[in-house]
Amino acid sequence: MIARASLLLLAAPLIAVLVGFLAPYRARRLVAITSIAATALSALGAGVSLWLVGTHPFVLSDDPKIELDTAFGTSVMIADFGDFAVTLIGRIDLVSAVLALMVTLVALAVQIYSVGYLREDQRYVPYAAQVSLFTLAMLTVVVAGDLLTLVIGWEAMGICSYLLIGHDKNVAEAPKAAVKAFLVTRVGDIGFLLGIIILAVGAGSFDITTVLSAVRDGAFSATTLTCVGLLLLAGIAGKSAQFPLHTWLPDAMAGPTPISALIHAATMVAAGVYALARLRPVFLASETVLLTIAIIGAITVVLGALAALAADDIKRVLAFSTMSQLGYMVAVMSLSSDTASAAALFHLLSHAGFKALLFLCAGALIHAVGSNLASEMGGLRKTMPLTFGATTLGLAALAGVPPFAGFWSKEAIVQAAEHAPGAAGAIVTAATWLAIPITAAYVMRLWLRVFFGKYRGRARPHDPPPSMLGPIIALTLPTVGAGLLVLWPLVIDRSTFSARVNAFDDITGLHGYDATYPLFTLMPSAENPSLSPHITTATISTILVLIGAALAWWAWRADRAADPAQRLGALRPVFAQAFYLDELQDALVTRPVQRLARAARFGDERIVDGAVRAVGGGTVTLGQRLAQRHIGLERYLTLTATGAVLLAVIAVVVWEVTR
Amino acid sequence: MSALLLSAALGLPILAAILMLFVPVRQAPWWGLGAAIIILAASCALLAGREHFGMWHEVNVRWVSNLGVNWHLGVDGLSWPLIGLTALLVVGCAAYLLDRPVQRDVRQLLALIFVLQFALVGVFLALDTIVFFVFFELTLPPMYAIIAGWGGAKRTYAARKFALYTLVGSALLLLGVVLLSIDAGTTNLVTLQGGGHGSLAVFAILAVAFAVKSPLWPLHTWLPDAHTEAPTVGSVLLAGVLLKLGTYGFIRVGVGTMPDAAADASPVIGIFAVGAIVIGALICLAQTELKRLIAYSSVGHMGFVLLGIAAGTTAGLQAAVIANVAHGFITGLLFVLVGIIKERYGTGELAQLGGIRFSAPRLAAIFGLATIASFGLPGLAGFWGEAFAIVATVQRGGGLWMTLASCAAIGAALTVAYFLRVLRQVIARPADAVQPTSGWSFGEVIAVVPLVLGVLVLGLWPNGVLSLSLGPVTQIAEALP
Amino acid sequence: MTIDHAALAPLYALSGAILLIFVLDLVPVPRIVLLGVGFAGLGVTAALATTVADERRSFCTEQLCSYVTSRESRIAAAALCATVAIVLGLSVPWLRENRDRAAEYLFLLLGSLLGAICVLGARDVLTLIVALELLTLPLYVLVAFGSRGSSGSVTFFVLSVVSTSVTLLGVALLYAVSGQVHFSALAQASIADDAAPLAALGAALFVAGLAFKLAAVPFHAWAPTTYDSAPIPVTTYLATVSKVGGLFAFVLALNTARSHLSSPGALVSVIAVLTIVIGSVAALRQVRTLRLLAWSSVAQLGYVVAPLVTADGAQAAFAYLAFYVPISLVVFGALLALRGVDDGGTLADLQGVARNRPVLAAIVLFGLLGLAGIPPALAGTWAKVAVVSSLFDGSVGWIEGIVSAAVAIGIVVGAAVYLRLARAMFVAGPPVRRVPISAWIWCALGLSVIATVIASVWPDEIFEAATDVANSLASQVS
């Protein structure tokens, strides 16, 4: 049953991909219908899977049927390398089902929204196909039961992001941004691939279950696991835009806005966090890795928030906020507490909702105003009331205002950090408390600049057409209601659920690492009480939000046309340029590589090939000289006589020597 | 039956070459295409009676008693994929020549292509060291003639460099196979397999011989010139099959017959292979001409093949096999596309090209596909060989091999970098000046479609090739210490 | 002193033909009659040579004989007759134009062949040297037959004198220390310790001087000028028949000298390496086709000498030469067909040949591939394989290593040389006047091509004959 649902989940977007790539460019309508229908079917598949996973009464203990029920995939071996056989495996559990549902729903919203958003675009057809492929790739990552399937989806997403970011031919920097997005993430992927290969070689298989069992059984030394952890982390940092591989994310704004929604909410960046959860036992095996994760996450949280504080482009503000929010998720994964991954994934889900909403709203704003810059907006609450309402909800959720989604999930993170032992916990807690008021400040700044004061643009703004408005309104639901997830245990039978957790742990052999892995719990229960908000921390964070918002309002109030960020003074350009890390990356990596490339070419042409040509030329010259020595009878005679004498000498000398 | 099948696979190209000289010029490409398809069918017929281990078909007749040479041909899972690849690429070449103006008599060009095919198939079928050498050498004259006769502006220089440089390899191959055969007392590659004969010196001679052909950095500089100047069909066959003679020889004659020496030499080969990957990628980053760039990309890709061979595990050799075939498809496709681009836009300079995405979206899409397949995107043909070359390197373990694996992975990232640069320049960058001169012709479609399908099918189902080669590869790998 | 007339029968037949031509020249007879006598003489000689099966000895004193014919040397004689027949066929159009010199030409050519056949059977140094001179002397005149032949003739003559004197000095020294002239006796002669260096020197000079016939370095300098100025049929003869006679002499001398040289391999390796390298490298920039081919034949004879560094390399040497002869006939014959008898011309003169004379161009190409040792002209490939095999048969020391490296270098440089020649034909040129080519030439050329193809596909017979020849020569000195 699961297999059939998952077939629907994957096959539907695959068909959309094929149709989209093979259809002629003018077949807009056909492709639009196919894409939307396919994504909807896929979402249906995800929903059914979730329902099945959540309610199906699994037989416990030693019945192999459980494995069969949750795992699906090709029984055909697609590649037999002798030492390794590659069979693509998919596996659906609670986590993947939930994520798949999230991915397909956001993708559905994006597909519907795009029909309106790209009304004028000649290249809608390949665009829609690429979005379907993007969705399919992310779904592949989500349901991957083996590391190679994971990598296939992982890299396919990279190429999709490349294609879609570079889609808009009117944006001059789009091609560069596209290349940067793919390349920076790919640099991280070197590590990811190497890490996976070391794991697979050690375990003798690419099957995640086998690999994780091998990790548990001590097939790897501590050093190896530290290395593997750090290598995998590189890939995750690339995909999830974590410091220092985050530089692509703000530039990726060059892509069409719906694509930003897709990348920031459902795909790409979510993949990193998901992989972190999926392979959690590997990371938990090394303190060094955990600490590194904590530091990277914490830096990203603060860095993103500060950069968002000064950016003028509303999409850049949202992009930096994504970085910051992803920082939370990654940072909390460094904690060894039981609820850590649950909290991270909870935030991932709620963030997906409100960030998709925010980007679609930003698209509506940009569509209406004709500019990305907040300095050309202002006072839009009157002309675009519906967009204003939706954006307000999204921003409130982002800032963590109760009772919107962000509040609950951020509280879960705070709780997890509070209760975590060791340095990692302290780092994450500090970063969280520091970032909450900053987040509120930039959210407030954005809100005020866009919707209040006087309109500073030229075009006549209006609310978007229904095809764009529909998805926006639909996405306000999770933004407001995602907090209800914490009430979910009321829906399903608690005892069945716990039993299934244990049953799955028996199969995957994950006892002793993380009681909740891989079926992280989204619910407060006897096993993990700390996901629900605690009154003290909730109060503190709400106060911090208010302080941040108030500061921003105070800065804005003096001059309603000016950017409140000017109050930052000398720090503003530093923040706006995201601490000049782009320039640093350019100086430390890009330009040295280019110089090296030029040197390699020079060396190859002048030295390596030069030697070859010198040998050729030298032989020819030698031939010419030799031939010139052979002109004229006198020369012949001298040559011949000398030669004869020489031979005689050689004969005698050799005779003497070898006697 | 075996003899008949083998003779058909080997003999039909020669018949086709002769036929080409007598058909009317105007219809020659059609005849060529027909002949190529029949040869492809004959090659596929070899699949009948395939086995997991050992030869599917074998012929062994005494030929030159005094040199101990036997007319010993056979096909197994190691050689068939390359024979099939050759046949398919020849079909592509013949199709590409349909309704295409060629400077000189197209019949001669087709005849040369078939002669080349004969020689290539001969190398892959040869099970006698001297016969192997003979066919290996026989590939030189037709390829030289194709470059010198139908090439670009600097064709004479490029063709001469190609012929003489690779002849150095052939001369060393002659020394190597003779030394090996005399030491073993037999020229039979089947009996030689598994080792016990030859020394490290003999292996070194053979390794250099094959390294020139593969080509392995720093013995590669004939390649960019040859590729740049060769006509499209020449580049396709050169990159698609000719380079594989080196790597195939490495596996069949080098590692296969001298496992101990191969194991001793493997770190050196590994280091050079990784050097080829990294340096090839760096050079590509600084290249400004499309054809030359793709030529250099072959250096890097063949580096992965050699890395797999150097690692010497079953997975490594399997990776080499699949990377060989994949590179044939992908680079063949790339060269066809570059040929089309150069023809339509009149230039191959990156700085002058641009905006193909807007002026010719289908061409851009397929070029993009070939490119991303070339840098090894998972799920496309290029991925398996490169990833598993690294897997095999990691399998070897230890500081050196782990370093090599890391450097190879970095090289793979650089590969992405330069291909993205190409895409950005050629496909994406808005261009104003250059506009295409024509659309797709029928021949172009026939040439491109099988290659695209090959790239996709091999990417999603590499076992099509791997299951064939597993048996022989396992036997070779097991002999390695 | 016994004289075995059966052994000498082929010589008698050939001498008879020569005399008949000499006589017929006194009375005016049609040229066709002279040619008929010439071909008939060659045919009868070859037939006589092949019909007598077992070993024949002549001019014997006790055990030692001065002239021995074995079955193998007679097969070689027959092959030489066939080669000369082809050379003669190539000469026919020229003879037609130079009617008055036809008899002279035939007389000299067959006289030289007589010398070559004598060399095959010579078993003492004096017979050998006389036979060699008989082989060489007519050539001085034949070379001069070309319109530009005088300089070549003089060069050839002067250098020949030098090298013969070297040989004679060597012979004299050997005779002085051993008192023997027969090869077998010389080889087995016990030399007093204090005379040993003298014997070594003598042996070295004896061998070295005979390198002249092979145009091996350092006695190669005559080749370019002589080849270029002689009529092409004579050049062809120089490149083939003369070389076969020379190799027999060289191998006989070397077999004899081995016991007196402490390291014969070293001496031969010097000659071989220098010959291969200098020959191929100097050929690189040649502009005149025949000079280029002359240098290339120097290099080719280097490959012939190369296997002789090992004690039992003679069979590879003979095999190489046996493959080389038909290939040379093809190349020189096709060049003659293209350019006429008198002047090989320059590479630039070959422009447009591929377009105007595609069949001839293909034949030249085939021959050049053979010289380069590249398939499909497998004859050349087998030759190279045989040389390398022979070098590596047995323990491989540094001498074999160096020589094989030289072979490898020579293969590559040689390919560059032949490539240049081949390429010249494919350069587009002005449409040239198509000179009609005589049926005689087509016939000779066709036979050469067929011989090369047979040698390519069924090389075993050649290998066996070469082995037999080498063995019989080796047995002469044991």
Side-chain angles (χ1 to χ4, degrees):
Chain A
M1 201 46 202
I2 286 257
R4 265 178 237 165
S6 52
L7 190 68
L8 190 63
L9 178 71
L10 295 174
L14 180 63
I15 289 166
V17 170
L18 292 177
V19 169
F21 277 124
L22 294 174
Y25 277 25
R26 55 180 187 283
R28 260 185 107 87
R29 182 178 292 271
L30 168 76
V31 172
I33 292 170
T34 324
S35 306
I36 292 169
T39 318
L41 279 175
S42 185
L44 180 66
V48 171
S49 303
L50 180 59
W51 181 72
L52 285 171
V53 172
T55 60
H56 196 269
F58 286 97
V59 183
L60 298 186
S61 72
D62 52 0
D63 190 342
K65 225 183 140 201
I66 299 168
E67 179 77 300
L68 290 177
D69 271 351
T70 55
F72 65 91
T74 56
S75 55
V76 182
M77 185 187 292
I78 69 156
D80 191 350
F81 282 90
D83 306 336
F84 299 92
V86 181
T87 312
L88 297 187
I89 305 168
R91 181 168 287 120
I92 289 198
D93 52 31
L94 197 56
V95 180
S96 43
V98 168
L99 269 161
L101 186 61
M102 180 271 277
V103 170
T104 46
L105 287 177
V106 173
L108 182 61
V110 166
Q111 285 280 15
I112 296 172
Y113 184 89
S114 299
V115 174
Y117 193 82
L118 274 81
R119 193 173 294 278
E120 314 281 299
D121 197 312
Q122 294 296 313
R123 299 179 53 252
Y124 168 76
V125 168
Y127 165 90
Q130 286 160 11
V131 172
S132 297
L133 183 59
F134 210 152
T135 315
L136 178 63
M138 182 63 192
L139 289 174
T140 311
V141 170
V142 169
V143 302
D146 75 292
L147 292 167
L148 270 177
T149 314
L150 184 78
V151 167
I152 290 176
W154 186 266
E155 293 289 332
M157 262 197 294
I159 200 70
C160 289
S161 70
Y162 165 79
L163 292 169
L164 288 166
I165 291 169
H167 173 82
D168 200 337
K169 68 171 173 181
N170 298 319
V171 182
E173 65 272 18
K176 191 179 175 203
V179 169
K180 190 171 173 186
F182 194 27
L183 214 49
V184 172
T185 54
R186 180 77 186 203
V187 167
D189 291 348
I190 304 171
F192 195 69
L193 191 64
L194 273 178
I196 278 179
I197 286 174
I198 296 173
L199 281 178
V201 168
S205 164
F206 284 92
D207 186 357
I208 293 180
T209 316
T210 318
V211 167
L212 294 183
S213 304
V215 169
R216 183 200 56 179
D217 296 344
F220 299 92
S221 69
T223 329
T224 312
L225 281 177
T226 307
C227 290
V228 168
L230 292 174
L231 286 168
L232 292 175
L233 186 58
I236 288 161
K239 273 281 183 291
S240 284
Q242 297 298 294
F243 172 85
L245 296 176
H246 64 279
T247 49
W248 63 272
L249 190 67
D251 290 8
M253 291 304 107
T257 312
I259 293 312
S260 306
L262 197 62
I263 290 178
H264 287 246
T267 60
M268 201 78 177
V269 296
V273 178
Y274 177 72
L276 213 46
R278 234 331 169 210
L279 302 172
R280 193 157 155 76
V282 179
F283 300 104
L284 285 174
S286 165
E287 285 297 325
T288 320
V289 175
L290 288 178
L291 199 60
T292 315
I293 297 176
I295 293 169
I296 285 179
I299 291 177
T300 315
V301 168
V302 178
L303 188 98
L306 288 175
L309 202 53
D312 190 29
D313 186 327
I314 58 170
K315 284 175 76 178
R316 274 183 92 84
V317 173
L318 292 178
F320 282 124
S321 88
T322 305
M323 252 178 76
S324 178
Q325 300 298 313
L326 285 164
Y328 283 121
M329 304 171 206
V330 170
V332 81
M333 283 291 195
S334 70
L335 309 175
S336 51
S337 61
D338 288 353
T339 52
S341 63
L345 288 164
F346 185 18
H347 193 53
L348 181 67
L349 291 178
S350 75
H351 174 259
F354 65 73
K355 190 49 67 67
L357 171 68
L358 281 173
F359 268 110
L360 295 189
C361 289
L365 291 168
I366 293 165
H367 209 65
V369 174
S371 165
N372 284 8
L373 301 179
S375 52
E376 294 182 20
M377 296 177 182
L380 293 175
R381 72 179 185 284
K382 289 172 194 139
T383 43
M384 302 177 69
L386 289 173
T387 315
F388 168 63
T391 314
T392 308
L393 291 178
L395 288 175
L398 171 60
V401 176
F404 300 109
F407 167 76
W408 302 98
S409 54
K410 213 171 281 182
E411 269 304 299
I413 287 176
V414 170
Q415 288 297 326
E418 284 278 290
H419 294 275
I427 292 170
V428 177
T429 310
T432 316
W433 290 129
L434 184 59
I436 287 178
I438 307 177
T439 308
Y442 73 70
V443 163
M444 193 65 181
R445 166 177 170 261
L446 185 70
W447 192 57
L448 292 170
R449 294 260 295 152
V450 171
F451 293 108
F452 294 88
K454 284 217 173 63
Y455 180 52
R456 297 177 290 274
R458 280 179 300 276
R460 312 183 83 206
H462 53 85
D463 265 329
S467 67
M468 288 165 70
L469 207 53
I472 290 178
I473 290 169
L475 280 170
T476 56
L477 287 178
T479 307
V480 176
L484 295 175
L485 279 173
V486 294
L487 304 173
W488 196 19
L490 299 177
V491 183
I492 54 175
D493 177 11
R494 188 171 305 197
S495 61
T496 320
F497 190 81
S498 312
R500 213 169 56 251
V501 169
N502 293 332
F504 203 90
D505 285 355
D506 280 336
I507 294 161
T508 53
L510 285 162
H511 284 309
Y513 269 107
D514 182 354
T516 58
Y517 184 84
L519 298 181
F520 79 108
T521 60
L522 294 172
M523 56 178 197
S525 65
E527 293 91 42
N528 16 242
S530 56
L531 268 187
S532 52
H534 193 275
I535 186 71
T536 322
T537 51
T539 314
I540 295 175
S541 62
T542 310
I543 291 171
L544 285 174
V545 166
L546 287 176
I547 291 174
L551 280 172
W553 179 76
W554 172 75
W556 174 77
R557 197 188 47 131
D559 179 359
R560 296 188 174 196
D563 186 350
Q566 278 165 354
R567 299 290 174 112
L568 291 169
L571 286 174
R572 187 181 171 227
V574 180
F575 289 174
Q577 294 300 316
F579 300 89
Y580 299 106
L581 286 170
D582 260 334
E583 283 74 7
L584 194 67
Q585 178 187 308
D586 215 35
L588 286 183
V589 182
T590 315
R591 267 176 284 151
V593 168
Q594 282 169 347
R595 269 199 294 276
L596 202 58
R598 280 194 293 272
R601 184 181 170 184
F602 181 85
D604 192 69
E605 285 173 3
R606 298 295 167 84
I607 299 169
V608 180
D609 194 35
V612 174
R613 274 177 287 146
V615 170
T619 316
V620 169
T621 317
L622 183 66
Q624 203 146 21
R625 295 259 166 81
L626 268 177
Q628 279 163 0
R629 294 268 141 221
H630 288 82
I631 292 175
L633 191 55
E634 301 82 359
R635 277 208 177 130
Y636 294 161
L637 272 174
T638 335
L639 267 173
T640 311
T642 325
V645 172
L646 271 178
L647 281 181
V649 169
I650 288 169
V652 175
V653 167
V654 168
W655 189 87
E656 285 290 342
V657 170
T658 54
R659 187 165 54 139
Chain B
M1 192 60 192
S2 279
L4 190 68
L5 286 173
L6 288 172
S7 311
L10 185 62
L12 282 176
I14 275 294
L15 290 181
I18 296 167
L19 175 75
M20 283 308 116
L21 298 175
F22 298 100
V23 296
V25 189
R26 297 177 72 96
Q27 284 97 45
W30 286 101
W31 284 93
L33 183 60
I37 290 171
I38 291 171
I39 295 168
L40 178 64
S43 308
C44 290
L46 288 174
L47 277 172
R50 64 180 178 279
E51 289 163 34
H52 190 56
F53 293 107
M55 294 296 150
W56 305 347
H57 306 286
E58 202 172 349
V59 166
N60 195 352
V61 184
R62 207 111 187 85
W63 188 11
V64 188
S65 313
N66 287 68
L67 297 174
V69 180
N70 286 3
W71 180 251
H72 190 180
L73 303 177
V75 61
D76 65 357
L78 203 55
S79 48
W80 191 85
L82 291 168
I83 294 171
L85 174 72
T86 312
L88 196 67
L89 287 179
V90 170
V91 170
C93 287
Y96 182 82
L97 290 173
L98 287 177
D99 51 42
R100 185 162 299 272
V102 181
Q103 299 146 303
R104 286 167 167 228
D105 193 341
V106 69
R107 292 177 301 182
Q108 291 170 6
L109 181 56
L110 281 162
L112 285 170
I113 289 174
F114 285 121
V115 172
L116 183 60
Q117 183 179 20
F118 166 73
L120 292 167
V121 172
V123 175
F124 298 135
L125 288 180
L127 290 178
D128 180 291
T129 51
I130 304 292
V131 176
F132 179 89
F133 162 76
V134 165
F135 279 115
F136 199 88
E137 284 243 295
L138 186 57
T139 58
L140 279 181
M143 196 65 229
Y144 169 85
I146 289 174
I147 299 175
W150 287 265
K154 282 164 66 187
R155 57 178 180 268
T156 314
Y157 168 75
R160 189 171 60 229
K161 192 170 180 180
F162 159 76
L164 295 181
Y165 205 140
T166 52
L167 197 67
V168 174
S170 296
L172 290 175
L173 178 64
L174 172 62
L175 300 187
V177 293
V178 169
L179 271 170
L180 174 65
S181 307
I182 286 178
D183 187 50
T186 176
T187 55
N188 188 334
L189 275 171
V190 178
T191 6
L192 277 169
Q193 189 179 318
H197 303 291
S199 61
L200 191 57
V202 179
F203 182 79
I205 291 174
L206 284 173
V208 174
F210 293 130
V212 169
K213 203 75 169 191
S214 296
L216 181 58
W217 183 88
L219 301 172
H220 65 288
T221 60
W222 60 269
L223 180 83
D225 287 309
H227 267 317
T228 313
E229 299 305 326
T232 297
V233 287
S235 299
V236 169
L237 290 174
L238 189 57
V241 196
L242 219 67
L243 305 188
K244 276 72 192 178
L245 298 186
T247 43
Y248 173 78
F250 238 118
I251 298 176
R252 174 78 82 190
V253 182
V255 179
T257 63
M258 282 175 281
D260 296 311
D264 290 344
S266 64
V268 180
I269 301 171
I271 289 168
F272 277 107
V274 169
I277 295 169
V278 175
I279 294 172
L282 282 173
I283 294 170
C284 282
L285 261 180
Q287 274 300 333
T288 54
E289 211 272 340
L290 200 49
K291 246 184 152 179
R292 215 174 163 78
L293 188 149
I294 293 169
Y296 267 110
S297 83
S298 292
V299 175
H301 287 131
M302 297 315 278
F304 274 105
V305 179
L306 288 165
L307 182 61
I309 294 171
T313 61
T314 311
L317 293 174
Q318 284 280 71
V321 169
I322 188 80
N324 250 352
V325 179
H327 178 259
F329 276 110
I330 296 169
T331 309
L333 180 59
L334 274 173
F335 273 116
V336 168
L337 294 171
V338 171
I340 294 173
I341 288 175
K342 280 185 90 162
E343 203 165 278
R344 285 196 201 170
Y345 295 86
T347 177
E349 289 294 325
L350 291 182
Q352 293 166 15
L353 286 166
I356 294 181
R357 187 168 62 146
F358 311 113
S359 53
R362 296 276 166 201
L363 181 60
I366 296 173
F367 186 74
L369 175 76
T371 309
I372 61 179
S374 188
F375 66 60
L377 190 83
L380 292 175
F383 169 69
W384 299 104
E386 305 198 352
F388 277 84
I390 298 177
V391 169
T393 315
V394 171
Q395 261 183 309
R396 288 290 294 262
L400 172 71
W401 291 96
M402 291 309 269
T403 314
L404 289 179
S406 313
C407 293
I410 291 171
L414 288 171
T415 310
V416 176
Y418 71 72
F419 269 126
L420 289 184
R421 177 173 156 264
V422 169
L423 282 183
R424 189 177 148 198
Q425 293 270 355
V426 175
I427 303 288
R429 189 172 58 116
D432 25 42
V434 194
Q435 283 300 315
T437 53
S438 63
W440 287 88
S441 75
F442 177 70
E444 285 168 357
V445 175
I446 298 288
V448 163
V449 167
L451 295 177
V452 170
L453 287 178
V455 169
L456 292 175
V457 170
L458 214 55
L460 295 172
W461 192 55
N463 219 30
V465 169
L466 290 173
S467 61
L468 297 177
S469 60
L470 184 62
V473 158
T474 315
Q475 284 176 329
I476 291 175
E478 273 167 4
L480 283 157
Chain C
M1 178 72 73
T2 58
I3 296 176
D4 181 346
H5 296 287
L8 301 176
L11 300 180
Y12 293 153
L14 196 55
S15 309
I18 292 169
L19 277 175
L20 191 56
I21 288 166
F22 191 66
V23 171
L24 285 176
D25 193 28
L26 300 176
V27 291
V29 290
R31 185 181 42 86
I32 193 72
V33 175
L34 289 176
L35 274 177
V37 173
F39 281 117
L42 288 172
V44 173
T45 311
L48 283 174
T50 43
T51 44
V52 191
D54 47 348
E55 190 176 87
R56 291 297 201 170
R57 297 167 169 271
S58 195
F59 308 116
C60 293
T61 58
E62 288 136 37
Q63 285 90 36
L64 299 171
C65 298
S66 292
Y67 192 85
V68 177
T69 60
S70 57
R71 192 175 66 90
E72 296 75 39
S73 64
R74 285 195 297 263
I75 288 172
L80 288 181
C81 291
T83 312
V84 170
I86 287 178
V87 170
L88 207 51
L90 291 174
S91 322
V92 171
W94 182 78
L95 294 178
R96 197 177 288 159
E97 286 165 26
N98 300 275
R99 204 170 288 265
D100 49 334
R101 301 174 79 179
E104 201 180 340
Y105 181 85
L106 278 168
F107 171 77
L108 290 167
L109 194 63
L110 297 185
S112 176
L113 175 63
L114 189 63
I117 294 177
C118 284
V119 168
L120 307 183
R123 291 298 178 267
D124 73 47
V125 283
L126 299 176
T127 315
L128 182 73
I129 285 167
V130 169
L132 274 179
E133 288 311 308
L134 180 56
L135 167 66
T136 317
L137 272 169
L139 288 174
Y140 304 141
V141 187
L142 281 173
V143 169
F145 269 30
S147 56
R148 310 177 305 116
S150 55
S151 68
S153 177
V154 171
T155 311
F156 189 30
F157 174 71
V158 172
L159 294 190
S160 175
V161 168
V162 174
S163 59
T164 308
S165 60
V166 171
T167 311
L168 287 173
L169 182 58
V171 169
L173 284 172
L174 279 178
Y175 182 71
V177 294
S178 69
Q180 297 289 348
V181 290
H182 289 89
F183 293 130
S184 51
L186 266 175
Q188 287 156 3
S190 55
I191 309 292
D193 271 354
D194 54 347
L198 218 53
L201 184 61
L205 291 176
F206 181 35
V207 173
L210 288 175
F212 173 83
K213 288 285 172 294
L214 302 176
V217 175
F219 303 101
H220 63 292
W222 59 273
T225 313
T226 309
Y227 272 45
D228 192 24
S229 49
I232 294 182
V234 177
T235 311
T236 315
Y237 182 88
L238 275 172
T240 53
V241 179
S242 164
K243 293 285 194 286
V244 175
L247 183 65
F248 267 90
F250 192 79
V251 171
L252 274 170
L254 190 62
N255 285 346
T256 312
R258 273 187 203 282
S259 53
H260 302 297
L261 290 164
S262 58
S263 174
L267 180 74
V268 179
S269 71
V270 171
I271 295 176
V273 169
L274 286 177
T275 308
I276 292 172
V277 172
I278 292 181
S280 10
V281 170
L284 267 177
R285 295 306 295 173
Q286 294 302 324
V287 183
R288 295 191 57 81
T289 48
L290 282 173
R291 273 185 180 270
L292 186 148
L293 287 174
W295 279 113
S296 105
S297 85
V298 170
Q300 296 287 344
L301 267 296
Y303 302 127
V304 172
V305 175
L308 295 174
V309 297
T310 60
D312 43 7
Q315 47 174 293
F318 280 108
Y320 193 102
L321 196 60
F323 286 114
Y324 171 75
V325 165
I327 299 174
S328 296
L329 290 175
V330 170
V331 174
F332 284 105
L335 191 66
L336 182 145
L338 283 171
R339 296 284 314 160
V341 169
D342 218 24
D343 182 12
T346 62
L347 293 186
D349 292 332
L350 292 176
Q351 278 180 9
V353 161
R355 175 150 308 177
N356 298 314
R357 289 266 185 214
V359 176
L360 277 179
I363 291 176
V364 176
L365 197 60
F366 181 68
L368 290 177
L369 285 172
L371 290 180
I374 294 175
L378 279 172
T381 317
W382 299 133
K384 299 246 177 359
V385 173
V387 167
V388 174
S389 296
S390 159
L391 279 172
F392 292 151
D393 216 351
S395 66
V396 181
W398 61 273
I399 289 182
E400 287 84 359
I402 290 175
V403 175
S404 53
V407 169
I409 293 169
I411 288 176
V412 177
V413 180
V417 171
Y418 303 123
L419 201 59
R420 222 166 134 251
L421 189 54
R423 173 105 195 106
M425 297 190 299
F426 287 86
V427 174
V432 263
R433 187 174 51 89
R434 279 178 65 127
V435 190
I437 295 169
S438 146
W440 286 97
I441 291 184
W442 279 121
C443 197
L445 199 51
L447 287 173
S448 313
V449 171
I450 289 169
T452 313
V453 169
I454 289 175
S456 296
V457 183
W458 294 283
D460 259 341
E461 293 300 321
I462 287 184
F463 279 116
E464 267 155 36
T467 312
D468 289 350
V469 166
N471 289 342
S472 87
L473 287 195
S475 70
Q476 295 304 324
V477 294
S478 58

